[in-house]
Each structure stands twice: as C-alpha cells, then as structure tokens.
Amino acid sequence: MTDPDRPERLSPDEARARFRAGLRVPTSGWCAGWTQANLLAVPRDLAYDVLLFAQRNPGPCPVLDVTEPGAVDSPRFSGDLRTDLPAYRVYEHGELIAEVDDVVERWREDMVAFLIGCSFTFEDALVAAGVPVRHIEQGSNVPMYRTDVACRPAGSLSGPLVVSMRPVPASQVATAVRVTSRYPAVHGAPVHVGSPADLGIEDLDDPDFGDPVEVRPGEVPVFWACGVTPQAAVMQSRPALAIGHAPGHMAITDIRESEHIVP
Amino acid sequence: MTDPDRPERLSPDEARARFRAGLRVPTSGWCAGWTQANLLAVPRDLAYDVLLFAQRNPGPCPVLDVTEPGAVDSPRFSGDLRTDLPAYRVYEHGELIAEVDDVVERWREDMVAFLIGCSFTFEDALVAAGVPVRHIEQGSNVPMYRTDVACRPAGSLSGPLVVSMRPVPASQVATAVRVTSRYPAVHGAPVHVGSPADLGIEDLDDPDFGDPVEVRPGEVPVFWACGVTPQAAVMQSRPALAIGHAPGHMAITDIRESEHIVP
C-alpha cells in the first residue's frame, strides 16, 4: 500500500479526494465498513443489454446502482465518477485503448454508469472471522482470472465468468463460505473451491488481472465471482465505447457494508 | 380453493395445464416447493424503464427472469406466458381495460415479459415454522394495499409501494421475520409490522387488491412488499400497453423455492 496514512480509516469522501488528486493504488483494505464497487459506463443505447446481462448473471454482476444518462454521480456515490476512482480503463470496439487517471474527456453526454458489487467489501468480515486475506497481507492487488465458464448472454453482450481468488487454509474454507454467503450483493459465496483446472485456469501464478499471490501448503484456492466480468463481456462483444475501473482500483461508494448482510 | 384435487401437490406443468384449460383461482398454496411469480409484460421500448425500476426497488420487484422480445416462454417458465396463468390484466394508458383468461390476441411481437418474485413462495416455509397463513386457511386471496410510500422512479415509471398483509400472532412475529428474511428473491423480510396507518392504509378490511382476511385478537398485521407494485406504477405512469397477472393469480415457474434461500 503506497498511501502514507491508514487507508482503512478514511471516509469515502477522503479516499475519493486522494484518487481525484491522482493517487493510483488498489483499493483493497480501504475505507473499512464502506462498500466498494466495480464501474462500467456505456452509452444509453447499450444500457438495457448491460442491465439485463447483470440480471441474468447476478453472481458476478450484482448491481448496486445505475446513474441517469449523463450523470456523473448517484445517490450511492456522491463523488464524480469520472475522476474519483484511482484508475480507469477505456474500451473502443472491445479493445483496451487507454488506462487513465480520469475520464472527463471521454464521458459522453448519454453515458449510463453501473456500480457493481465488489468482493473487497466482505474482506473485512473475512479478516474479522480470522480468515487471512493474502493480497492485503502482501499489499498487492487480488488475482483475477478469466474462466472457461460462459455467462448467460443478454442482447449484444456475452462473455466468460471472471473470478477473484483468495487462498484459504483448508480448516477455514467452511468459515470463508459461511461468512461471504451473507453478502450476496457483493458476490456472496464462492463459486468454486479448489481445482482451478475445472475453471480452465492453467496457472494461478499468471492471473489475467491483478497480481499473483502466494498459495501456501495446506491452503486451498477459493474463487469468488468477480465484477470485472462485465468488462470481459465488453472485450468479447466489442461495443463502440465502454469505460470501466482498472481492475482492483474500485469506486468507493457511500453504501455501508452492513446494508448487504443477509439475513 | 375451487380445484377438486390437491393443488399443493401439482407440478408446475400440471398446474399450468389447468390454468390453460380455463381454471381461474388464486394460486396461493399451489405447487408446494415451486416459485410463484408476478408477470409484467411491456413493449421493448419500455423494457429498460421496467428493469431499472425493478433494480431501484428490489424489495417489491425482485426480478426472477426476463424474456427475449416476443418470446412467450423462458428458461425459468417452460409454459406459454400468454395462456398459462389463471387470469391476466390488460392496461392501456394506465387504464385497466380487461381482465381475461389469456392474452394471445394482445401479445405484441416485441413484448418483453418480466417474472417478479411473489411472497406466496415463502408461505410453505411460514406454515412449516408454525406461522398461520390466514388467507390459505380461509381459501381466499391475500389482501394487498396501495401505500403512501413512493417507489424510487425510473425513467417514465413511478408509483407507490404495494404491500401484502398477513396477520401474525404477536408471539410469532419474530419467527415470521426470521423465516421470510431468508427469501430476498421473493420479497424477503416484512417492510412493516403493525400500524397500517403509517403506510397510509385506512381500513384493513378494504384491500385495494385481493380479499380481506380476519385479524384476530392478539394478532399483528405484518406487511411484505408486493409484486403488484409494478402494475401500480403502470397505472400511475400510463404507458400505451402493459399486461400483468390478475393479483393473486400468479405465474407458477420451474424454479424451486430452495434456490432462493440465503445464506
């Protein structure tokens, strides 16, 4: 973590101000108690396909909020969606054409932004339950992988399920499942425990997004659905324009984590 | 219940065949173990507003499935959505113009159908927990009420929250909350316990939809968000055409109740 002070103690406003000022770090561990979100912004004419894709794939795409066309904030995110994330990715016709600190110049008048739940949100609960979170220990980004599991298509959008991975000691896998099951709005229970090959993941040390983490003897790789999935659909489906967060560099919302706990 | 045999034992296919043949009864208590759903079908150009309205009001509008434009079935409903519900309501410009047994003639080529969770789904669990369900005991429809609580608008759609009411003995209210909290996809926990006036409900014996039920001494009226809410939004927002189920006369889906239980 490159930030000098204690990022877990910052409020969403304080964190967003740092990112707006140019700080570029993964947000895992930031703003304890507040919900982090994936961003996907598209022109209005693609918004129905994105919302339907999310409805049909609620595991990887739990929608927290949707903005009005052209708006840069929402009731759940009081900052500026064009500047207040640490980093953004811009896609044209499915190609990643830029990774930038802000997207003020690229935000069209009819952009609709989707805020999608992020598993960073339940990491506090894992730590509180005594489950180690390796990428936080390492101060790195969580490893994310494209799988060979296809999402259910919607209109022009189709693509593979993307998952995040956390190594969990075998004796604590059940605890990790139980704890995260209570957070369906931020991906909830794991989609897969162990056996990466079954997801088409050949090498855990070579993630498609984020950084590799150490998997120690006696630890099992546990996979959760990941909100980068909509970006993978954009890369496969090639819409004219889409803007996402840089993986691991999330939108920090004004939604308390406790809102998501069920039952 | 007017059906001669034991409707709780029927499969979704068997129940849909009876409704297709003309049987017109409320579906509370039918097809134990299977999920019942509210129907709202609209032309494609209104589909985004409906889906966004549902996303912004997940309590009353938990979306179970969305059909392709013009389709009359879905992966979660293998029957014919135009004929296999007991009764339908047709709205033009917000006016209820017909309540009919099928909508074959009225189904436009570009209709998109939304299947929205129904609280009938968790009534089995209430009964299993020893909580009486009065409208099943009475063989009548559940009472539903328009409240003075406004839903969060979406595009052209706005309207009031509609709730269903079940009288629960005071000693079992906590059990009813705990049991139904586990079913967020079919409205989940109550939105309100007691004090109907706080919801703008003046007379429990005069529901806006369904039938009144007896509230006995020592019982508390408990209110759950209701999937008739989107129809109330249609009535207020006056789109050119919308088709819904007749309140209490639900779509019986191929989704097992157990799919919805969290965590």
Side-chain angles (χ1 to χ4, degrees), chain B residues 32-57:
Chain B
W34 296 95
T35 300
Q36 300 200 20
N38 302 268
L39 170 70
L40 184 67
V42 298
R44 169 68 179 82
D45 62 8
L46 189 63
Y48 179 69
D49 288 355
V50 171
L51 192 52
L52 186 58
F53 185 86
Q55 190 280 327
R56 290 179 173 174
N57 300 282

Side-chain angles (χ1 to χ4, degrees), chain B residues 128-180:
Chain B
V131 178
V133 178
R134 184 64 33 77
H135 60 276
I136 294 180
E137 295 170 355
Q138 290 187 184
S140 63
N141 198 352
V142 67
M144 294 162 269
Y145 307 85
R146 253 193 218 88
T147 70
D148 59 10
V149 178
C151 290
R152 187 174 160 199
S156 60
L157 288 178
S158 62
L161 172 68
V162 176
V163 294
S164 63
M165 187 280 287
R166 294 164 184 77
V168 177
S171 63
Q172 293 177 284
V173 168
T175 300
V177 171
R178 186 173 48 74
V179 168
T180 58

Side-chain angles (χ1 to χ4, degrees), chain A residues 44 47-49 51-52 55-56 63-68 75-76 112 114 152-153 155 178 181-182 184 262-263, chain B residues 44 47-49 51-52 55-56 63-68 75-76 112 114 152-155 178 181-182 184 262-263:
Chain A
R44 168 68 179 82
Y48 179 69
D49 288 356
L51 192 52
L52 187 58
Q55 191 279 327
R56 289 178 173 174
V63 177
L64 301 178
D65 204 9
V66 183
T67 62
E68 296 301 319
R76 324 306 301 276
V112 175
F114 296 81
R152 189 175 160 197
R178 187 173 48 75
S181 295
R182 300 187 65 203
V262 296
Chain B
R44 169 68 179 82
Y48 179 69
D49 288 355
L51 192 52
L52 186 58
Q55 190 280 327
R56 290 179 173 174
V63 177
L64 301 178
D65 204 7
V66 183
T67 61
E68 296 302 318
R76 321 309 300 276
V112 175
F114 296 82
R152 187 174 160 199
R178 186 173 48 74
S181 295
R182 300 188 65 204
V262 297

Side-chain angles (χ1 to χ4, degrees), chain A residues 26-28 120 135 138-144 209-213 246-249:
Chain A
T27 51
S28 177
F120 288 173
H135 60 275
Q138 291 187 184
S140 63
N141 198 351
V142 67
M144 294 162 268
F209 310 94
D211 305 317
V213 295
H249 300 65

Side-chain angles (χ1 to χ4, degrees), chain B residues 39-256:
Chain B
L39 170 70
L40 184 67
V42 298
R44 169 68 179 82
D45 62 8
L46 189 63
Y48 179 69
D49 288 355
V50 171
L51 192 52
L52 186 58
F53 185 86
Q55 190 280 327
R56 290 179 173 174
N57 300 282
C61 309
V63 177
L64 301 178
D65 204 7
V66 183
T67 61
E68 296 302 318
V72 298
D73 62 358
S74 89
R76 321 309 300 276
F77 183 92
S78 60
D80 186 327
L81 286 164
R82 304 167 303 171
T83 58
D84 293 3
L85 278 64
Y88 299 82
R89 286 188 168 184
V90 181
Y91 299 89
E92 287 182 1
H93 304 289
E95 301 299 324
L96 174 61
I97 61 157
E99 181 160 318
V100 290
D101 290 338
D102 76 72
V103 288
V104 172
E105 298 308 315
R106 301 175 186 270
W107 200 267
R108 276 173 44 170
E109 293 251 320
D110 67 340
M111 290 300 263
V112 175
F114 296 82
L115 293 173
I116 294 167
C118 171
S119 55
F120 289 173
T121 306
F122 58 51
E123 290 178 339
D124 290 346
L126 286 173
V127 170
V131 178
V133 178
R134 184 64 33 77
H135 60 276
I136 294 180
E137 295 170 355
Q138 290 187 184
S140 63
N141 198 352
V142 67
M144 294 162 269
Y145 307 85
R146 253 193 218 88
T147 70
D148 59 10
V149 178
C151 290
R152 187 174 160 199
S156 60
L157 288 178
S158 62
L161 172 68
V162 176
V163 294
S164 63
M165 187 280 287
R166 294 164 184 77
V168 177
S171 63
Q172 293 177 284
V173 168
T175 300
V177 171
R178 186 173 48 74
V179 168
T180 58
S181 295
R182 300 188 65 204
Y183 295 85
V186 289
H187 304 308
V191 292
H192 201 86
V193 177
S195 194
D198 288 356
L199 292 172
I201 300 170
E202 291 172 3
D203 181 3
L204 286 178
D205 292 330
D206 182 27
D208 296 297
F209 309 95
D211 305 316
V213 296
E214 180 192 7
V215 181
R216 298 176 183 158
E219 293 183 335
V220 178
V222 179
F223 300 92
W224 281 266
C226 178
V228 170
T229 298
Q231 285 193 51
V234 161
M235 294 163 81
Q236 177 169 311
S237 308
R238 306 185 169 281
L241 173 66
I243 296 173
H245 65 288
H249 300 65
M250 315 309 293
I252 297 181
T253 73
D254 302 302
I255 310 169
R256 292 194 180 276

